[in-house]
Amino acid sequence: MKKKEFFQKSLMVIGFIGWSLSVFSQAYKIDRNKVFFDREPIPHADARSFVDLGFGYAKDRNNVYLEGRVLEFVDPATFRLKGRDDSHFHGHGDRHEHGKKHRGYYKTTFNVYYGDKKIDAMASSFKEIGDGYAKDSFSVFYFGKKIEGASASTFKILDDGYSKDAFNVFYYGTKVKDASASSFKVTGEGYAQDTYNAYYRGKKIE
């Protein structure tokens, strides 16, 4: 092999390795109540309801994001990646797009994981219940995050990002303030109501 050809191929390999490492380093992070993608802050992202969906996608109560950018005119209440059964999001590549694997729950005899992180769940009673939700005998999880205050025994998934148990209502895993679980119902397009109030995307309409 000629020196020039060898040098060119070496540069290609080095460039590919550098590109691969940079792709793998890209990730969403939450630090001090701020959301970052690839170390760059995402303006106006809501850290409390923010969820990394995999494939470079994420969402919070207000927006859907792709690699840190807001996807205009996409409703987070209805946005879904293709189901976990085949781990594909059709129209945007396969499960290895951008060098990232689709995240999901996985359990062994004693432990439960979401992606590459161990979560505080009991493997013996852990089960997925759909749309990123899972639960064990005591706790409920949404895309790997424990939903604080949720009762596993009475928890149920509603529509448009809402869920509830016997006492509380949640929107994408975040408690909806002042909502009455006993009378709460989803009316569609991000709207919901109980006996006393109306809500839009998890926020009470004043």
Side-chain angles (χ1 to χ4, degrees):
M1 184 183 294
K2 296 180 180 180
K3 287 185 178 180
K4 183 177 181 181
E5 183 179 354
F6 175 78
F7 180 71
Q8 290 175 335
K9 289 187 175 182
S10 297
L11 286 178
M12 289 175 64
V13 172
I14 292 171
F16 176 77
I17 292 174
W19 173 83
S20 299
L21 290 174
S22 66
V23 166
F24 276 101
S25 69
Q26 290 182 330
Y28 293 100
K29 299 289 184 183
I30 299 177
D31 183 32
R32 298 179 183 178
N33 210 36
K34 293 183 179 180
V35 182
F36 299 82
F37 180 78
D38 194 25
R39 300 179 183 179
E40 293 294 324
I42 304 176
H44 311 302
D46 181 56
R48 290 187 61 193
S49 61
F50 192 89
V51 176
D52 184 349
L53 301 174
F55 285 138
Y57 289 89
K59 66 180 179 179
D60 58 22
R61 63 171 63 229
N62 301 312
N63 297 299
V64 177
Y65 306 87
L66 175 59
E67 296 184 345
R69 302 185 305 275
V70 174
L71 295 180
E72 298 291 345
F73 310 113
V74 180
D75 184 1
T78 57
F79 181 82
R80 297 285 188 277
L81 291 181
K82 191 67 176 177
R84 285 256 299 121
D85 56 337
D86 62 5
S87 298
H88 283 70
F89 181 61
H90 293 277
H92 289 83
D94 63 21
R95 68 186 300 167
H96 296 290
E97 184 184 0
H98 302 305
K100 303 185 186 75
K101 292 183 179 179
H102 181 59
R103 292 187 176 186
Y105 294 101
Y106 175 75
K107 73 175 183 176
T108 62
T109 304
F110 301 106
N111 298 307
V112 181
Y113 303 87
Y114 183 76
D116 58 355
K117 294 183 179 181
K118 181 180 175 181
I119 64 176
D120 185 20
M122 293 179 58
S124 59
S125 60
F126 184 87
K127 62 180 180 180
E128 294 186 55
I129 56 177
D131 290 340
Y133 291 94
K135 66 179 182 177
D136 60 19
S137 296
F138 303 100
S139 302
V140 182
F141 304 86
Y142 182 61
F143 285 96
K145 293 182 180 180
K146 183 183 289 189
I147 302 178
E148 297 299 328
S151 170
S153 61
T154 60
F155 185 85
K156 62 174 64 176
I157 303 170
L158 304 176
D159 295 319
D160 288 0
Y162 292 99
S163 58
K164 72 175 185 176
D165 60 20
F167 308 101
N168 298 300
V169 177
F170 306 91
Y171 185 71
Y172 290 121
T174 300
K175 183 178 177 180
V176 178
K177 186 178 179 181
D178 298 330
S180 173
S182 60
S183 61
F184 189 88
K185 62 180 181 181
V186 179
T187 55
E189 302 296 331
Y191 289 95
Q193 66 182 51
D194 59 21
T195 303
Y196 308 101
N197 299 296
Y199 304 86
Y200 179 63
R201 294 185 177 180
K203 296 181 179 179
K204 183 167 65 175
I205 301 175
E206 300 294 342

